[in-house]
């Protein structure tokens, strides 16, 4: 078993070349702070360079969450310019995952909210454990999804269902995620990685160059222009009172009182 050392991630590779990349901040439900984003970017670079790694499973530490979103504590103080920059930053890390030349499989083992759903959607396929909860709750914080969710969710579940999910900030449990195509499989809790390894093993019987070109070709058909608009709109929202109210309400553990300003 080969492993790399990070503060907020675990990256371990088995003897078949299947790596498990675990977001490891369980006390904060694996929320994506800047350290996690930096380390994810570095991890993908390691994955690309390391010939022993042939496929990657992305999952969350603990029994409650895959990733509960971007770290709301870090979002709360962003201004327009910083908000747009932060959105572009996360989008860039998730593009690196989406365009990784090796198969990336998300095992969603609990809450995948906001940036967590966006991370899962950037992976090539998704397996939901029975306790998986997908959602883009950003509007409840006075925000919009800013790590690609407004672009990738409609691609995966269709515009109408995506619009409903984004505008209500509603959640989708494992079985519904499977029926909409957001997840390929539903597995018992604790069994997602096993299923992911089974699927990865089937992929790895094929030529690695063909796999990388297939990923590139499929992604090529889904290149959309909306990501920069998403980042700009996210930045705009950071200037609103509703954003301050929404994020402060979460941190103060109370309901927001939006004024529409
Ligand atoms: N950010 C920061 N801390 C978090 C987050 C988060 N997203 N989610 C959970 N935590 C922390 C909690 O504050 C708590 O910390 P503490 O123990 O110090 O109080 C700890 O994790 C455990 O969480 P809870 O006590 O809340 O656990 P519950 O089981 O009661 O609730 C929930 C679980 C329902 C998942 C709840 O934690 C929750 O609602 N979390 C926030 C979900 C959310 O709104 N996610 C979206 C965030 S916004 C986002 O992702 C935007 C992405 C795009 C960004 C673009 C550019 C910046």
């Amino acid at each position: 078993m080969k492993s790399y050392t990070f503060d907020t991630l675990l990256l371990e590779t088995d003897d078949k070349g299947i790596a498990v990349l675990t977001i490891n901040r369980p006390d904060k439900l694996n929320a994506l702070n800047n350290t996690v984003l930096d380390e994810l970017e570095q991890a993908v670079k390691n994955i690309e360079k390391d010939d022993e790694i042939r496929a990657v499973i992305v999952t969350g530490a603990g029994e409650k969450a895959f990733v509960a979103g971007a770290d709301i504590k870090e979002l709360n103080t962003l201004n327009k310019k910083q908000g747009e920059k932060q959105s572009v930053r996360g989008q860039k890390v998730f593009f690196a995952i989406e365009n990784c030349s090796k198969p990336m499989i998300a095992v969603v083992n609990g809450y995948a909210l906001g940036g967590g759903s966006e991370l899962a959607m950037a992976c090539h396929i998704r397996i939901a454990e029975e306790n998986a909860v997908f959602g883009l709750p950003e509007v409840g914080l006075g925000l919009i999804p800013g790590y690609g969710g407004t672009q990738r969710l409609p691609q995966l579940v269709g515009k109408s269902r995506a619009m409903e999910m984004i505008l209500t900030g509603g959640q989708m449990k494992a079985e519904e995620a499977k029926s909409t195509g957001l997840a390929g499989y539903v597995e018992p809790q604790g069994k997602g990685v096993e299923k992911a390894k089974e699927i990865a093993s089937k992929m790895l019987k094929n030529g690695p160059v063909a796999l990388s070109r297939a990923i590139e070709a499929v992604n090529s058909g889904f290149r959309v222009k909306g990501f920069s608009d998403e980042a700009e709109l996210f930045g705009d929202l950071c200037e609103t009172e509703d954003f301050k109210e929404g994020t402060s309400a979460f941190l103060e553990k109370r309901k927001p009182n939006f004024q529409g300003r």
Side-chain angles (χ1 to χ4, degrees):
M1 180 94 76
K2 180 177 177 182
S3 66
Y4 288 90
T5 306
F6 296 98
D7 288 337
T8 62
L9 303 178
L10 304 169
L11 178 58
E12 291 179 339
T13 310
D14 69 13
D15 56 2
K16 295 194 181 87
I18 303 174
V20 179
L21 175 60
T22 307
I23 318 297
N24 190 26
R25 286 185 82 205
D27 55 325
K28 295 290 174 191
L29 305 188
N30 306 319
L32 301 172
N33 63 8
N34 280 312
T35 308
V36 179
L37 280 184
D38 289 346
E39 293 196 334
L40 268 176
E41 189 169 46
Q42 185 55 50
V44 178
K45 284 184 186 154
N46 294 345
I47 288 162
E48 287 287 15
K49 273 197 217 137
D50 188 334
D51 291 339
E52 283 178 35
I53 300 180
R54 299 169 64 211
V56 182
I57 295 164
V58 181
T59 194
E63 294 186 351
K64 211 165 168 182
F66 172 72
V67 167
D71 193 314
I72 298 170
K73 209 172 173 184
E74 286 186 352
L75 297 186
N76 181 249
T77 53
L78 296 176
N79 63 27
K80 177 180 162 76
K81 204 172 153 198
Q82 293 165 331
E84 182 173 350
K85 198 171 159 207
Q86 182 67 26
S87 172
V88 169
R89 162 103 190 91
Q91 287 180 359
K92 186 175 163 235
V93 176
F94 290 8
F95 280 134
I97 291 171
E98 183 172 53
N99 294 316
C100 183
S101 62
K102 304 171 185 183
M104 299 285 258
I105 303 174
V107 171
V108 178
N109 56 333
Y111 289 110
L113 299 177
S117 267
E118 294 175 294
L119 171 62
M121 288 190 281
C123 293
H124 301 137
I125 62 172
R126 282 145 296 284
I127 292 167
E129 291 195 351
E130 276 165 352
N131 63 332
V133 178
F134 295 84
L136 293 173
E138 284 90 339
V139 288
L141 298 163
L143 284 169
I144 57 169
Y147 289 158
T150 64
Q151 307 304 302
R152 291 194 181 95
L153 187 63
Q155 291 175 353
L156 289 164
V157 305
K159 183 175 169 185
S160 175
R161 186 67 186 92
M163 200 61 107
E164 182 185 336
M165 200 164 155
I166 291 168
L167 296 183
T168 60
Q171 299 183 340
M172 206 190 266
K173 293 196 171 142
E175 282 299 337
E176 192 186 353
K178 188 180 167 199
S179 72
T180 59
L182 184 54
Y185 301 86
V186 178
E187 295 296 315
Q189 226 180 315
K191 297 286 179 194
V193 169
E194 206 175 295
K195 182 69 183 175
K197 287 197 173 192
E198 183 192 316
I199 297 169
S201 301
K202 285 187 194 164
M203 293 173 175
L204 296 181
K205 287 186 183 137
N206 305 305
V209 183
L211 292 183
S212 79
R213 297 305 182 274
I215 291 167
E216 208 177 325
V218 173
N219 284 340
S220 170
F222 287 90
R223 265 180 217 133
V224 289
K225 291 191 183 137
F227 286 91
S228 55
D229 285 343
E230 180 189 82
E232 197 181 329
L233 291 162
F234 187 94
D236 287 348
L237 285 164
C238 292
E239 294 288 290
T240 64
E241 288 174 26
D242 284 356
F243 153 74
K244 293 281 174 243
E245 170 61 12
T247 49
S248 300
F250 175 80
L251 296 172
E252 290 158 19
K253 300 188 188 289
R254 61 174 174 83
K255 286 205 185 322
N257 178 17
F258 293 123
Q259 300 297 320
R261 286 194 289 266

